[in-house]
Structures are given as C-alpha cells and as structure tokens.
Amino acid sequence: MRYLGLLIALCLWPLEAVAEDFFQLKGHGGPIKGIAVSPDGSRILTASFDNALGLWVNRQPQWLEGHDAAVNAVAFVDEARAVSAGDDFAVRQWDLATGQSSVLGHHLGKVLSLAVSPDRQYVVSASWDSRLGVWSLTGAAPRFIQVGANVNDVAFAQQGRVLFVASADGRIRVFDFDRGTLEQLFLSNGFGVNTLVLNEAAGWLAFGAVDGVTKIVSLDSAEVIKDITLERRPVLAMDMSRDGGMLAVGDGEGYILLLNRVDWSIASDIKATHRGPIWALAFAADGQNIHAGGLDDAMFSWPLSDPRDAPRMVAEDRDFLNGNDRASNGERQFQRKCSICHTLTGDSARRAGPTLKDLFGRPAGTVPDYTYSKTLQDAEIVWNGQTIDALFDLGPDVYIAGSKMPVQRIARAEDRADLIAYLRLYSDIEDQ
Ligand code: HEC
C-alpha cells in the first residue's frame, strides 16, 4: 500500500518538489478541531478546544485569543484575514497582521463550519441553531438562511451563486445564496451528513455521514459515482488536495483514508490514532502532507509518501507511555512497533514473541521460556547492532525467511539506530 501511495504521489507531484517530513505543531492546551492552510501555503491556522487559534509560521505559533469556548472552524479569507467560529456561537474575523479580531455576529447554537465566498466578500457559517449565517466582510448587514435542521457543513458552488448544505437530518440541500431560498433537496442519506467536499471542475460531491456512509456523487444528478463506505463511523472530516488529485476522509475511529480521485483507489489508509476521532483534515498547499487534528493537543502532519512510518497521535503514546511525552525516539519506536509482542523483562510473558531482554550477544532462538519456529532455532544468527539493524532494514521476511516474525520494516536508519540504542539499555551482555 505504501508503495502504491508513493507511486501515485510520484505521478502527481512536480518532480522538483521537496518532500516534507512528518511534523507536529505543539502548544495548544486541548484537542484540535479545525485546520486551515493559507492561500500561499506558508501558514497554518489551528482551532482548538482551548478557545484559541494557533497561527503557525515555520512551526512557531502565535496565539489568537478571543473566543469564549472551543473553536470548531477556521478559514483563511486571504493572506491578511481569517474567520473562525465555535461553541460560543460567535463568528469572528481576524486581522492576521495584528492578531486582533472582531465579532461578525452570533448564532443561537454552536457553529460547526465556515465557508468563504469565491469573491471573498462573505463568510457563511453552519450552525446547530438550524440556520446558516451570511456575514459580510465588507460591512454589509448580516442575514440568516433557515435550513430547518442542525447544519454541519456548507460549501459554495457555481461561482458563489449557490450553497450546498449538509445537515443532521441526513439531507444535503441546495440554497440560492443571494435570495436565501431552497433550490433543491439534493439528496437524503437517512443519517446525519457531517461533512462535504465539492469538486465542480470534475463534477462531483463527496460526503461523509454519522452512519459511516462515504460516497462520491454526481453534482448534476446526485447519482452515486463511488461508494467508499467502510465500517467506520462516524465520518467527521474531509479535505481535497488543491490540485483535486486526492481526497482525505477522517472518521471517529481514528483512520485517515486517502483516495486517489482519478479512479477512487485507496492510496493510503492511516490508523492515525489508537483511540478517538479525526476531527480536522487539511492538505498542505503542495498536496505532499496531510494535516490532522483529533484528541491530541498537537496537530499531526504526515507525508503522503510514507505516512505509515511516522508517529501516531497521543492516545497511543499516552496509553503506552503513561503520559511520559519526553520518551526518546528509541523508546517510542519500541512501544509503537514492538511492545505489543515483546517484553523487556526476564520473562516472555506469553507475548507473541520472546523477551528482548539481554538480546545483545544472544544466539537467535535461545530464550528458554519461548517456543520458536524451527527456522529461527536453526538460524545461525547472533543478535547485535548489525544483525538487528539488518532484520528491520530488510524485514524479517527477507532476513530470516520462514520465521514467525511479522513482516515489518523500519525505513529510516535513524529510527533503527535509536531503537537499537534503546534495546541495548536492557542488555547486560556487551555487544561486540
Ligand atoms: C506481531 C508480533 C511481533 C512484533 C510487532 C515484533 N515481533 Fe519480534 N518476534 C515475533 C515473533 C513471533 C518472534 C519469534 C519468531 C520465530 O520464532 O520464528 C520474534 C522474534 C524476534 C527476534 C529474535 C529473538 C530471538 O530470541 O531470537 C528479535 C530480535 C525481534 N523479534 C525483535 C523485534 C523488534 C525489535 C520489534 C519491533 C521493531 C519486533 N520484534 C516486533 C513477533 C513480533
């Protein structure tokens, strides 16, 4: 799967592009619910449960304070301005040069999503007061559009003439933007529609729902083009890369599904966190990374080229490391990739694999309380820095073909070195 993703990525990306690595944006005091990338791609805005927005330049935050409750949605208007909204029912406009904001107005319920009009004159807010708010960015009076059900998401279409509106009653409706009138009941899903993405040039709309339904439908007929529903619910976040080449879908079970929109094949399926939802997704401007927010206080960004070999969200680290986020990379490698099958204590504790205590200098297949495969018992390997490195550089399937070890490689030499250094801490015998 990883190689398929890489292949697709190589076909889609400009050759001169420099792949960005995995990174995190750390500093918020609560989970992240919204993410936006600036038009020129140089800045990221994060919206958090801690009531603040983070404006990130070169991974350094500037905190934008003003909301009185969790911030759910954030969008850039242009390079100089942004808008945000959240559980305090307020829609705010930000001057990004000064960090100052003003309230455009209030809903009577929490606000879940924002859409900026193509001409950048308006922002539309989707609220659980069953209305859309239409806020002028040029000083005109605000107005509301009655939808008739809690509104989860909204998107502009037809050069800003219409709005596609996703609601908790399972409907996607089309409203005339200027008149505020209902034009069409576009489709009915039965369960609430949480998120939608439009690609007008390609003629489709993608939506994700509470019951896990994820579909791509024709913008003309609402006919299903592709049903990508998996047994994962609810679907909470979606984004499309700027070139329209990739669609990302995030769900309540912590997966991020990356679809190649040429044939809707799965480019990658990342289990981004052990526990908890993916609330926010945004592609980097160049489409090389996918940014995600969930229960973690940090925004995570995975390179599409190799998303599987990077860290996962905290739920996992916290579970395994008991809140110790100062763990070394080696410890994290071990916890994430080995600890489910191996202990570092004297006994193998009925795990799938033998204890890795005192591994260095030990001939393969010799822990007394463990039943090895014949392959490993017969292997003439002594475990040391080089052999462990080779095991995960080549993969157990290549290095000791026929062993019970699962197929697993650790692509980065530094990760292997850090892991080996960590394992060495649990060996009394000196390595040669
Ligand atoms: C899903 C389970 C699983 C995971 C994950 C796993 N291993 Fe193993 N490992 C095994 C099994 C099973 C064996 C025994 C294979 C056999 O008998 O053929 C083994 C054997 C080994 C051995 C040989 C031990 C000996 O005494 O000869 C080493 C070294 C090893 N694993 C290291 C690791 C490291 C390091 C990681 C993490 C990067 C890891 N393993 C991840 C299941 C696992």
Side-chain angles (χ1 to χ4, degrees):
M1 202 64 79
R2 182 154 87 205
Y3 300 109
L4 180 60
L6 186 63
L7 251 177
I8 288 163
L10 284 175
C11 298
L12 290 173
W13 296 343
L15 280 174
E16 70 275 14
V18 181
E20 181 147 36
D21 285 340
F22 169 81
F23 67 92
Q24 295 178 41
L25 299 181
K26 278 191 189 171
H28 272 299
I32 289 169
K33 297 215 70 184
I35 303 171
V37 177
S38 66
D40 72 1
S42 69
R43 290 173 299 166
I44 294 173
L45 272 165
T46 47
S48 169
F49 262 85
D50 69 4
N51 302 4
L53 295 167
L55 175 62
W56 304 83
V57 185
N58 296 326
R59 302 181 192 176
Q60 294 303 310
Q62 179 192 344
W63 303 113
L64 306 182
E65 315 271 1
H67 281 285
D68 297 322
V71 195
N72 296 324
V74 60
F76 280 88
V77 175
D78 49 35
E79 294 297 345
R81 291 173 299 164
V83 285
S84 62
D87 285 355
D88 60 358
F89 309 172
V91 180
R92 280 186 173 267
Q93 173 177 215
W94 299 86
D95 177 334
L96 296 176
T98 63
Q100 298 303 304
S101 72
S102 57
V103 176
L104 288 167
H106 287 89
H107 275 275
L108 301 172
K110 63 179 177 175
V111 183
L112 280 262
S113 173
L114 295 169
V116 176
S117 64
D119 63 7
R120 305 187 190 289
Q121 306 268 304
Y122 296 94
V123 57
V124 175
S125 49
S127 168
W128 278 21
D129 66 4
S130 301
R131 300 183 298 175
L132 297 168
V134 179
W135 313 96
S136 167
L137 296 170
T138 54
R143 62 191 166 94
F144 291 95
I145 298 175
Q146 298 290 337
V147 175
N150 288 349
V151 194
N152 290 327
D153 203 2
V154 57
F156 277 94
Q158 298 174 20
Q159 287 91 47
R161 285 196 294 275
V162 306
L163 294 166
F164 278 74
V165 183
S167 298
D169 65 355
R171 303 214 161 116
I172 298 179
R173 297 171 173 87
V174 181
F175 285 87
D176 182 287
F177 175 67
D178 288 325
R179 286 177 289 169
T181 49
L182 178 65
E183 294 295 294
Q184 191 193 347
L185 173 57
F186 182 70
L187 66 78
S188 251
N189 176 60
F191 286 84
V193 178
N194 285 332
T195 173
L196 54 74
V197 162
L198 259 67
N199 186 338
E200 282 190 285
W204 53 259
L205 174 153
F207 73 92
V210 171
D211 56 345
V213 164
T214 315
K215 286 180 181 166
I216 321 294
V217 298
S218 158
L219 264 181
D220 298 330
S221 62
E223 257 171 57
V224 176
I225 297 170
K226 185 80 184 175
D227 186 343
I228 47 171
T229 304
L230 298 170
E231 285 296 305
R232 297 171 186 169
R233 56 194 70 163
V235 174
L236 297 169
M238 275 188 178
D239 194 36
M240 181 175 69
S241 62
R242 289 189 184 175
D243 65 1
M246 292 281 237
L247 182 72
V249 182
D251 61 46
E253 296 177 22
Y255 285 90
I256 301 172
L257 186 66
L258 291 157
L259 296 154
N260 167 18
R261 82 114 180 125
V262 176
D263 56 1
W264 299 114
S265 59
I266 296 175
S268 202
D269 188 18
I270 313 170
K271 178 79 166 118
T273 167
H274 260 314
R275 194 186 57 215
I278 301 297
W279 272 311
L281 283 175
F283 280 96
D286 61 9
Q288 297 202 34
N289 270 45
I290 182 76
H291 310 319
L295 284 179
D296 201 309
D297 294 354
M299 191 202 85
F300 278 56
S301 179
W302 288 280
L304 267 57
S305 56
D306 195 1
R308 282 154 185 277
D309 206 43
R312 298 295 176 254
M313 286 183 171
V314 273
E316 173 177 25
D317 286 358
R318 279 184 183 158
D319 276 349
F320 282 127
L321 303 181
N322 303 322
N324 174 13
D325 59 10
R326 278 175 228 276
S328 67
N329 181 43
E331 181 173 359
R332 272 188 277 112
Q333 294 289 326
F334 178 80
Q335 295 295 351
R336 216 168 56 236
K337 296 175 178 168
C338 324
S339 67
I340 191 166
C341 297
H342 293 286
T343 66
L344 287 171
T345 57
D347 99 28
S348 302
R350 304 178 59 82
R351 301 266 166 100
T355 177
L356 297 183
K357 183 167 164 41
D358 294 332
L359 182 63
F360 288 76
R362 181 167 105 195
T366 54
V367 169
D369 74 351
Y370 184 81
T371 312
Y372 289 90
S373 65
K374 185 143 193 335
T375 307
L376 202 62
Q377 251 172 5
D378 294 348
E380 288 181 13
I381 297 168
V382 173
W383 296 117
N384 58 36
Q386 278 106 52
T387 51
I388 300 168
D389 185 82
L391 178 65
F392 292 104
D393 185 13
L394 304 171
D397 53 324
V398 173
Y399 190 61
I400 6 170
S403 92
K404 292 192 290 176
M405 263 289 263
V407 176
Q408 164 162 233
R409 288 186 61 226
I410 298 174
R412 286 158 48 101
E414 311 95 281
D415 288 342
R416 295 197 303 272
D418 290 348
L419 172 63
I420 288 164
Y422 178 71
L423 291 172
R424 210 186 285 269
L425 299 174
Y426 292 84
S427 253
D428 291 331
I429 305 157
E430 273 307 311
D431 186 13
Q432 50 267 61

